[in-house]
Each structure stands twice: as C-alpha cells, then as structure tokens.
Amino acid sequence: MIDSKYLTILREVHRQNSVTAAAEKLNVSQSALSHMVRKFEERHNIKVWIKKGRGLQFTHSGRFLLEMAERVLPQLEYAETVLSEHSRGSVGELRVGMECHPCQQWLMQVAAPFLSQWPDVSFEVRTAFSFDGVKALQDFEIDMLVTPDPVNVEDLRFEPVFDYELVLVVSDHHPLSNQSTVTPQDLINQDLITIPVDTDRLDVFTRFLIPNDCRPKRHITVETVGLILQFVAANRGITVLPDWLVSLEGATLPIKTLKLGDQGLFKSIHLGVRQGDEAISYVSGFIDLARETYT
C-alpha cells in the first residue's frame, strides 16, 4: 500500500523543481525528505527522479506516481474537507421516520426553516406509519424518529419537543356540542372517525375508552385529517385529534372541541435519535427548531 505522503512529496518536488524548496514547503528538513524518498525507492526497487544539472528529471516510475498524485491527492483532500464538515455537522444526511400520522403538518413547519439553515444537509421524510420506527432507528435505516410514544431503550435518546392535548371534535350541531367535557360513556353510541391505524396505536382507545370498558358504536377510518374534519363538520361522526391540528385545519369549519375527561388527555411529540447523534450540529439544530415551532 502506497502512503499518500510519498505522493505529496513527489507532487511538491515537481511543483518546486527543488528538493530543498519542497522540504521547506512541507515543513521538513531536506535530509528528512531525501531519506523518506530513498527508503521508498529501496522498498519498491525503483528511482523516482534523477538529477539533471541544477534540476530534477522524473523517471518513468516517477512520472507514473506523479500522475497518480495529481489524480488521487485532490480527492483525498476533498474527502478530508467533507469529513471535517461532517464532524462540524454542516454537511450530512437526516432521514426522518414518522410514527405519528397527524405530525406531518407539524413536521413541515419545522422542515422549512431547517432546509434554509442547513442547505448542505440531505433531508428525507419517510411516512411508513406501520413500520417499527425504533428498530429502523437502531438499524440505521433512519436517523430520527418522530413519535408521540417514546420508549426506554439504552442506545436511543428521545427528546420531547412539543406538548399538545388530544380533544374530541364534534359538529356545532351535535348533541355533545353543549358539553365542555365528555366521558367514555358519552362515546358509546357514536360513530368515531380516525385515520387508518390499529386501535392499539390510538390513544382514544388505549387511554380513554378501553380502560373504561367502552367502545364506540362504529369505528370508521378515513385517510386524511382534512376529510375527517369535513365529515365531522357535516355531523357524520366525531373524531379525536391534537388540539393544534384542529386549529390548523379546522379553523373555518363549524366544529367544536371538547375535553376528554375532566383532566384531559395530553401528549408530547418526541424526536428519537441514536445515543450520541444529538451532538451532531444539524441534528441538534433540528431539535432546537422543533422546540421553537408552534402551530
């Protein structure tokens, strides 16, 4: 394996046309540089240059190595620059996985300033909501996980960035609209509309209905939040959504939000990263932006 330092020496000697000048440029003594070249020649049983008058003439082997130096060294120098930028967190890749269907709208508000502040960082969002986000993070398939349900895993770190309340959304004309809060029993005879996610991943079921041995009359799934709110506004059912999302997408609709139980149902959006990655500048920058972004 040829050490790049020998290629650097040959390139500098060629540029300076002088061993003495090259040694000065490389901050080594002339004798040290000559010794390194001599050891290299002995190892490969070649000569890289011969003296010709006051100058030097590169041999066939020397010209071959010089051409290689001109090709390889710029690439190695570029690699050093990129790795240095990576270490500072100014260049890199951030692949964000989503386990929170309604969080897409929130994430887009974070993404806009992030893309502006970190133009050299590749940014990708994966919205496969059925995937195992924790495993994807551990397996380096993604670099960050957006989730309302953090887990205690040794090699991962979850940062809370945004608190919100889950609220019941009903039409202004719905019988429940006269109430400020609802009980699980109030939903027994209702058509509950949600996004197409298993009930074991829906807090209205796992934290509100099922613990109280209650079920809605019907559970209807609709693909988008906007369409869900249109159904609710038309009094075709009720839904449970984050309060910020209702404010964002339902501000002009004839709907009302109600508290789930006397204490309400509160959640936090968390950003999960691999332990240590939070020190990367663009990762910590994204987390900071997420904490500053409110809908």
Side-chain angles (χ1 to χ4, degrees):
M1 182 73 69
I2 296 176
D3 193 321
S4 63
K5 69 182 179 183
Y6 297 111
L7 298 180
T8 301
I9 290 171
L10 292 182
R11 183 178 65 174
E12 200 58 46
V13 168
H14 178 259
R15 288 177 175 178
Q16 304 297 330
N17 196 32
S18 164
V19 174
T20 302
E24 183 177 346
K25 195 78 173 178
L26 296 173
N27 295 314
V28 297
S29 67
Q30 179 182 345
S31 60
L33 188 147
S34 297
H35 177 73
M36 284 189 286
V37 172
R38 188 162 55 251
K39 294 291 288 185
F40 179 81
E41 291 176 325
E42 290 173 357
R43 177 182 175 185
H44 295 283
N45 194 28
I46 60 168
K47 294 289 289 184
V48 294
W49 61 60
I50 57 175
K51 290 184 178 181
K52 189 173 182 180
R54 288 180 169 271
L56 298 172
Q57 180 176 319
F58 279 80
T59 65
H60 180 73
S61 296
R63 289 195 301 273
F64 167 77
L65 290 169
L66 182 60
E67 289 173 2
M68 179 179 292
E70 297 291 359
R71 291 196 311 270
V72 172
L73 290 177
Q75 296 180 46
L76 293 177
E77 289 161 358
Y78 174 70
E80 287 281 354
T81 300
V82 171
L83 291 177
S84 177
E85 290 173 342
H86 281 184
S87 70
R88 295 196 306 270
S90 58
V91 170
E93 181 180 40
L94 185 60
R95 299 163 299 167
V96 179
M98 301 283 293
E99 275 193 340
C100 173
H101 192 295
C103 294
Q104 291 179 82
Q105 288 88 336
W106 170 83
L107 179 63
M108 291 306 100
Q109 297 189 57
V110 183
F114 178 80
L115 292 171
S116 176
Q117 292 183 26
W118 302 92
D120 296 320
V121 175
S122 173
F123 184 74
E124 178 184 347
V125 178
R126 299 187 179 182
T127 55
F129 303 108
S130 60
F131 79 150
D132 185 340
V134 170
K135 187 175 186 302
L137 192 56
Q138 290 175 313
D139 291 346
F140 289 78
E141 295 175 14
I142 58 174
D143 306 300
M144 179 178 289
L145 177 65
V146 180
T147 179
D149 302 305
V151 296
N152 186 17
V153 179
E154 184 178 355
D155 58 343
L156 301 182
R157 177 171 178 170
F158 287 86
E159 296 282 350
V161 293
F162 183 60
D163 299 326
Y164 62 93
E165 181 180 3
L166 288 168
V167 294
L168 183 73
V169 190
V170 301
S171 163
D172 284 347
H173 305 293
H174 194 281
L176 292 175
S177 65
N178 296 321
Q179 303 177 196
S180 59
T181 65
V182 291
T183 66
Q185 290 74 23
D186 288 328
L187 307 191
I188 290 177
N189 295 317
Q190 304 298 325
D191 291 339
L192 178 63
I193 308 172
T194 74
I195 55 175
V197 172
D198 292 340
T199 56
D200 61 3
R201 296 183 60 198
L202 291 170
D203 290 285
V204 63
F205 281 93
T206 61
R207 296 176 58 190
F208 192 65
L209 292 171
I210 294 175
N212 292 282
D213 198 26
C214 294
R215 297 289 191 282
K217 182 175 69 175
R218 283 201 305 163
H219 178 206
I220 304 166
T221 60
V222 174
E223 290 290 337
T224 67
V225 171
L227 190 54
I228 289 175
L229 289 174
Q230 290 293 336
F231 274 93
V232 171
N235 209 11
R236 297 291 187 92
I238 61 175
T239 191
V240 171
L241 291 170
D243 54 356
W244 60 266
L245 188 55
V246 179
S247 298
L248 184 67
E249 296 216 6
T252 62
L253 296 175
I255 55 178
K256 181 181 178 182
T257 60
L258 313 176
K259 188 177 286 290
L260 292 166
D262 293 334
Q263 304 302 315
L265 208 58
F266 293 88
K267 296 277 287 183
S268 295
I269 294 174
H270 286 71
L271 298 182
V273 297
R274 289 178 291 275
Q275 197 71 248
D277 282 3
E278 71 278 1
I280 299 173
S281 295
Y282 61 81
V283 173
S284 63
F286 188 94
I287 294 172
D288 289 342
L289 283 172
R291 289 195 173 114
E292 296 167 3
T293 301
Y294 295 90
T295 54

